[in-house]
Amino acid sequence: MTDLQLCKTALHAMTHAYNPYSNFSVGAALLCKNGSVYEGCNIENASYTPTVCAERVAFFKAVSEGNLEFKKIAIAGGSKGESLKICPPCGVCRQVMSEFCKKDFEILLVTDTGFEKYTLEQLLPLSFNLLEVKSDAHD
Ligand code: THU
């Protein structure tokens, strides 16, 4: 699966967004180390708080099926009829990524003309990870 194919998968996932409140669609395609790809879209709710981002839907689908090793994620987001600008993941999704991914996990942000590539370390420096904090204490 090339980076471009993963970006196209994120664009496909975006078409499934359930977004009657924001009308903002987000799609994510998560590539696991074993080659599996999980798609996610944002799923909103009348009560707002239960809304889940596309990225977390993709991660939780993977984890719930026993896939815990990840290579990269492509994310596409925008409103209908508007040009596609990068849609950087929210803080909560970055924290979820940091639970399951190493610093070099790649995050591809889709645009009209291609994609921008970042590492998790770039988007969430100095992150909090209790498992690492605890294991450092025993070094
Ligand atoms: N959203 C995502 O799916 N991912 C993000 O990282 C940021 C925001 C969704 C949530 C909501 O349905 C809509 O975008 C507008 O905030």
Side-chain angles (χ1 to χ4, degrees), residues 84-139:
L84 211 62
K85 301 190 193 89
I86 58 165
C87 176
C90 80
V92 175
C93 289
R94 294 179 200 205
Q95 180 64 27
V96 167
M97 290 175 196
S98 86
E99 181 71 28
F100 298 109
C101 306
K102 302 252 178 335
K103 292 176 171 151
D104 62 355
F105 177 72
E106 288 179 352
I107 299 161
L108 315 178
L109 304 180
V110 183
T111 68
D112 266 343
T113 52
F115 60 88
E116 294 180 13
K117 193 186 271 199
Y118 298 89
T119 61
L120 181 56
E121 163 98 270
Q122 284 176 306
L123 296 193
L124 192 64
L126 211 68
S127 64
F128 178 73
N129 185 319
L130 197 54
L131 299 175
E132 275 174 25
V133 171
K134 275 184 177 163
S135 67
D136 284 352
H138 298 292
D139 281 348

Side-chain angles (χ1 to χ4, degrees), residues 19 22 24 26 41-44 51-55 87-90 93:
N19 57 4
S22 74
F24 190 84
V26 185
C41 64
N42 52 329
I43 304 172
E44 299 186 345
T51 293
V52 191
C53 293
E55 299 90 323
C87 176
C90 80
C93 289

Side-chain angles (χ1 to χ4, degrees), residues 2-27:
T2 65
D3 284 358
L4 209 57
Q5 283 171 326
L6 198 66
C7 289
K8 284 191 178 150
T9 309
L11 286 167
H12 174 256
M14 199 178 154
T15 65
H16 295 138
Y18 177 77
N19 57 4
Y21 307 101
S22 74
N23 283 313
F24 190 84
S25 303
V26 185

